[in-house]
Amino acid sequence: MKTKFTLALFAFILMFNVPISSTTYFVRSATGSDSNDGLTPASAFLTLGKAVNLSLTDGDVINISGTFNYAELNKFMLKSISIVGDNKSTAIIKGTLPGANFLSIGNSATPVSVLVENVTIQDFDFWDGSTQTEGGVFRVYKGSTLTCKNVNFINNQAVVGGAVNLLASTGIFEDCYFYNNRAKLRPSVNTNAFGAAIQVNAGSSYSEDASLTVDRCLFEDNSTDNSGAAIRYIAATKGAANLLIQNSTFVGNTLKGSNSTTGGSIQIQVTSEVSDIKIINNTIAYNYSEFNNVTALAGLSVSGNDDKLILMNNILYSNTNAAGASVSILNTKKNKESRNNITDQDYDFEANTTSGASSSNFINVTGEALGLSSSLSDNGGETKTLAINATSVAVNAGYSTGAPLVDQRNIARVGNPDVGAYENLTTTTGSNNYLSGIKYSQLDGETIFKNLEGFKTVKVYDTVGKLVTNVALFGDSYRLIANSGIYFLHFEGTNKHSIIKLIVK
């Protein structure tokens, strides 16, 4: 009897742990037909609306190629699905100004306990989305999650959340590009316009958590008529506040309009007692406020409770107002930590920091000392970056504990990280001044490296940061055969590393 009962119980457990199969539906705007079954590229649907209006189940995937319009969707999504493009150049969704947002995830009228929508968007563009309320592309309701990977948001607008509005929900953005999005007032109707690219609000009427993660993203030329020229994050006393912005660049974002009396390109206001707020290894530069008011921050504006924010390894440079003054940072509260940040502003990090949690911040840094590029360029990775030169004060000047292991381009940081979103590869020695003693000789495109005791791996990058090879080392020598060009070799071992710039003729 014992054996039979055990077998029966095992069968019962198996029955309820069999994974539910998912279905991939294909949509092709040039070759599809809505009379097809949509189950293969050859039998793809023509319209996105056809796929989305099916009886989808959690885990289903919609694969799209071509150009579509917002009107094909414009609905509430109450399932956990993925919408994936072939790539950003061949998968584009366009809106018509004025219009409605592309997708609402979850439902404000539904109890949060039954909302588990997790929608993933990957590898395509959103253009020209518009709504006269919230979320030019996405509006995400209580308890739901939106994940965007390698997605471009271009020319979208709303009153609140020009591209995305998160209401007591979760947003995750990786390798995304936000360009020319707008939080725009409706004259005689609205008094405030917040979050040109992303708005997050737990709000006094919400008791759920508000969570935002931004990693390896670029925010360029977005604008607001009030505050949050790129991101605005507001979390009141109810629920938990979770915010991580890292490895991202903010450039050319603008505060404009008659209500722009507060900041900034990033505005954070947290009064929740349960908070985890981190701003790490970002470059916030060349943003602008159209006003002379020193509180109309062009860079980073923080308010709320003490001891909540970790501010580490950020460049805050040349964010100016109409009078030409630097308004890169204003933080009215004490930080949990403030370490290894660089600013051109005469700013007292110590006065805004809990005792013992502030160190190695640089203020009044000149442009020559910083060595930051004046414009974006393609230095590798999914988004453009502002590079720092090899002699920059930012090189190897970061705080390593808690810093990301890669930079905005997804290139490995070595030793003490550089400050900002970009890791410079042209230095000849790494963290803590560990000198390797490596020697090498060249002949006909072949380079032999010697004295490699203690090194375990070598990674070889080209000049735009693309990984050429990653090799485990054995013994004290390594042979590299490469075409003519410039390469950067990262030799890594336990408590030591070396970065070598190699010219192959």
Side-chain angles (χ1 to χ4, degrees), residues 103 135 140 180 416 485:
L103 186 65
V140 187
N180 198 37
N416 281 355

Side-chain angles (χ1 to χ4, degrees), residues 70 92-102 124-132 135-138 151-159 161-164 177-184 195-198 218-223 229 253 256:
Y70 282 38
I92 300 170
I93 298 180
K94 291 186 175 182
T96 302
L97 299 177
N101 59 351
F102 172 66
F124 56 85
D125 285 6
F126 289 103
W127 296 357
D128 302 330
S130 175
T131 178
Q132 295 184 342
V137 180
F138 292 108
V151 175
N152 291 342
F153 295 87
I154 300 172
N155 300 337
N156 304 287
Q157 73 173 39
V159 176
V164 179
Y177 178 40
F178 294 84
Y179 174 76
N180 198 37
N181 300 286
R182 179 81 186 274
K184 185 177 182 180
I198 301 173
L218 171 61
F219 295 80
E220 180 188 8
D221 290 353
N222 304 285
S223 63
N253 302 291
K256 58 177 59 179

Side-chain angles (χ1 to χ4, degrees), residues 293-351:
N293 191 331
V294 294
T295 64
L297 268 288
L300 173 65
S301 175
V302 182
S303 61
N305 288 353
D306 290 341
D307 303 328
K308 301 302 180 186
L309 173 66
I310 294 176
L311 185 68
M312 187 172 80
N313 297 349
N314 299 285
I315 292 174
L316 299 142
Y317 175 76
S318 194
N319 301 285
T320 57
N321 64 14
S326 177
V327 284
S328 289
I329 179 171
L330 178 64
N331 185 357
T332 61
K333 299 298 179 179
K334 294 180 179 179
N335 295 337
K336 184 176 181 180
E337 293 182 34
S338 179
R339 303 182 189 273
N340 302 65
N341 300 287
I342 294 175
T343 183
D344 58 340
Q345 196 170 326
D346 186 9
Y347 181 78
D348 188 355
F349 284 95
E350 294 289 346

Side-chain angles (χ1 to χ4, degrees), residues 142-200:
K142 299 181 292 183
S144 299
T145 298
L146 170 67
T147 300
C148 293
K149 298 181 179 181
N150 199 23
V151 175
N152 291 342
F153 295 87
I154 300 172
N155 300 337
N156 304 287
Q157 73 173 39
V159 176
V160 176
V164 179
N165 188 47
L166 300 166
L167 292 166
S169 52
T170 296
I172 301 169
F173 299 88
E174 298 175 354
D175 299 305
C176 292
Y177 178 40
F178 294 84
Y179 174 76
N180 198 37
N181 300 286
R182 179 81 186 274
K184 185 177 182 180
L185 289 172
R186 295 170 60 196
S188 74
V189 177
N190 306 111
T191 58
N192 295 305
F194 300 129
I198 301 173
Q199 158 86 0
V200 185

